[in-house]
Amino acid sequence: MPTTWHVLGAGSLGTLWATRLARAGLPVRLVLRNEQRLQAYRAAGGLTLVEQGQARQYPVPGQTADAPEPIKRLLLACKAYDAEAAVASVAHRLSADAELILLQNGLGSQDAVANRVPQARCISASSTEGAFRDGDWRVVFAGHGYTWLGDPAHPVAPIWLDDLTAAAIPHEWTADILTRLWRKLALNCAINPLTVLHHCKNGGLQAHHCEVATLCAELTDLLERCGQPMAAEDLQPEVERVIQATAANYSSMYQDVAHGRRTEISYLLGHACKVAERHRLPVPHLEQLRQRLITHLNNLGLPGD
């Protein structure tokens, strides 16, 4: 019998994974935060995946965090700031050999989750797949990408990667997942906050070349100081390439602010500034950017953490 995938977090990536796993005939359960959400989900009849304009619904069974069924494999697909509390809500259900796949942005939440459930194997994931929700329990697959997975503590790849192949989820196991996570964090720090403050699409940052270059220089120093030289390599050209390639897109942080949602600032800019302080590395422009962003968020009535 294949192991059941429990998916906690019905956002865009969680729904994207759950529908593709279900489409491949694999057992999937959606874990919802309370009875009210579960009833709303059941009334909708399942999760809907919209791909190339075609919508198809998958009746993935739902349950609440306090359901009795043990969890052996958990895809944690919630926001970074919700990750620790989310895993705590199902910690009592985790089997002795439980494995968690962590799909959070930035850095910091992975360690918090691992400390909360020390008996579980925690696998970090970094995804470039594009998806957005256009309604409750619906996800639009917007852009094909890739998911890198890895576990710095146990570099041996798990056998369930076969499930991802069956579900047509492009992926690669890497012994160097921290490099991927740091690189993505640096890209996000150089792009996302500026799109919020300048109120622009990613392409609008082409008019703020000097500001981007200054941030890239500080981020490169930080990555090298953290022992991540590979993540630091050619950072500025990569940031400029991403800005150009995604010129017509709004960054995820811009979208969060536009929809009045809390941002993941603490796990992106906040984490970078905290690590720089730990290493006694001055990053005045990153720190100033963080303060400007916090002020902007507070003025909008949004949390600055």
Side-chain angles (χ1 to χ4, degrees):
M1 279 288 289
T3 299
T4 297
W5 286 80
H6 286 83
V7 178
L8 182 46
S12 50
L13 275 185
T15 305
L16 184 61
W17 277 55
T19 49
R20 287 182 295 177
L21 289 164
R23 181 173 64 187
L26 294 158
V28 186
R29 302 284 180 272
L30 189 65
V31 183
L32 298 156
R33 63 175 170 264
N34 56 38
E35 192 61 36
Q36 193 181 356
R37 285 296 281 165
L38 179 59
Q39 293 311 322
Y41 173 66
R42 285 180 175 159
L47 296 172
T48 298
L49 173 64
V50 183
E51 199 171 3
Q52 294 171 332
Q54 300 291 311
R56 185 163 167 207
Q57 191 176 61
Y58 297 90
V60 172
Q63 56 184 225
T64 55
D66 53 10
E69 181 184 31
I71 295 174
K72 186 175 176 190
R73 186 175 306 140
L74 179 70
L75 178 70
L76 194 64
C78 56
K79 292 282 193 180
Y81 49 74
D82 283 333
E84 188 181 357
V87 86
S89 73
V90 294
H92 63 288
R93 294 176 57 188
L94 297 178
S95 64
D97 56 349
E99 292 178 302
L100 276 60
I101 300 97
L102 311 180
L103 264 177
Q104 282 62 53
N105 256 337
L107 284 162
S109 64
Q110 297 89 347
D111 288 342
V113 167
N115 291 336
R116 175 65 70 153
V117 285
Q119 79 280 17
R121 181 186 189 187
C122 290
I123 289 162
S124 294
S126 178
S127 177
T128 60
E129 291 199 299
F132 63 90
R133 288 185 298 169
D134 69 345
D136 241 5
W137 322 114
R138 285 172 60 91
V139 66
V140 179
F141 195 6
H144 289 269
Y146 221 74
T147 301
W148 285 270
L149 304 110
D151 177 1
H154 302 283
V156 178
I159 55 167
W160 50 256
L161 292 180
D162 290 347
D163 285 7
L164 304 190
T165 304
I169 296 173
H171 65 278
E172 187 179 314
W173 182 261
T174 173
D176 221 3
I177 190 65
L178 282 175
T179 297
R180 293 263 170 209
L181 293 171
W182 269 110
R183 180 73 162 195
K184 192 175 179 192
L185 178 138
L187 291 168
N188 282 332
C189 286
I191 295 172
N192 293 16
L194 290 178
T195 64
V196 173
L197 293 170
H198 292 301
H199 201 74
C200 65
K201 293 181 177 179
N202 292 356
L205 296 185
Q206 288 166 331
H208 301 279
H209 177 79
C210 290
E211 207 172 355
V212 171
T214 304
L215 294 176
C216 286
E218 286 191 358
L219 287 161
T220 297
D221 289 347
L222 175 61
L223 292 169
E224 286 172 349
R225 184 70 68 93
C226 291
Q228 290 293 337
M230 297 272 288
E233 210 170 285
D234 295 328
L235 179 64
Q236 189 183 335
E238 171 84 351
V239 167
E240 288 170 356
R241 188 192 64 74
V242 170
I243 287 170
Q244 206 169 359
T246 62
N249 299 357
Y250 285 108
S251 74
S252 56
M253 187 178 281
Y254 181 100
Q255 291 179 59
D256 283 340
V257 173
H259 290 101
R261 295 191 296 252
R262 183 179 174 184
T263 71
E264 293 176 300
I265 177 175
S266 295
Y267 301 91
L268 298 166
L269 258 185
H271 188 80
C273 291
K274 201 190 318 178
V275 172
E277 190 180 355
R278 202 184 304 149
H279 285 283
R280 296 188 181 151
L281 177 72
V283 285
H285 296 92
L286 283 168
E287 188 52 56
Q288 183 191 40
L289 181 65
R290 189 177 75 89
Q291 293 299 342
R292 280 167 62 201
L293 185 57
I294 288 170
T295 301
H296 180 73
L297 294 172
N298 290 340
N299 288 341
L300 293 171
L302 291 171
D305 62 358

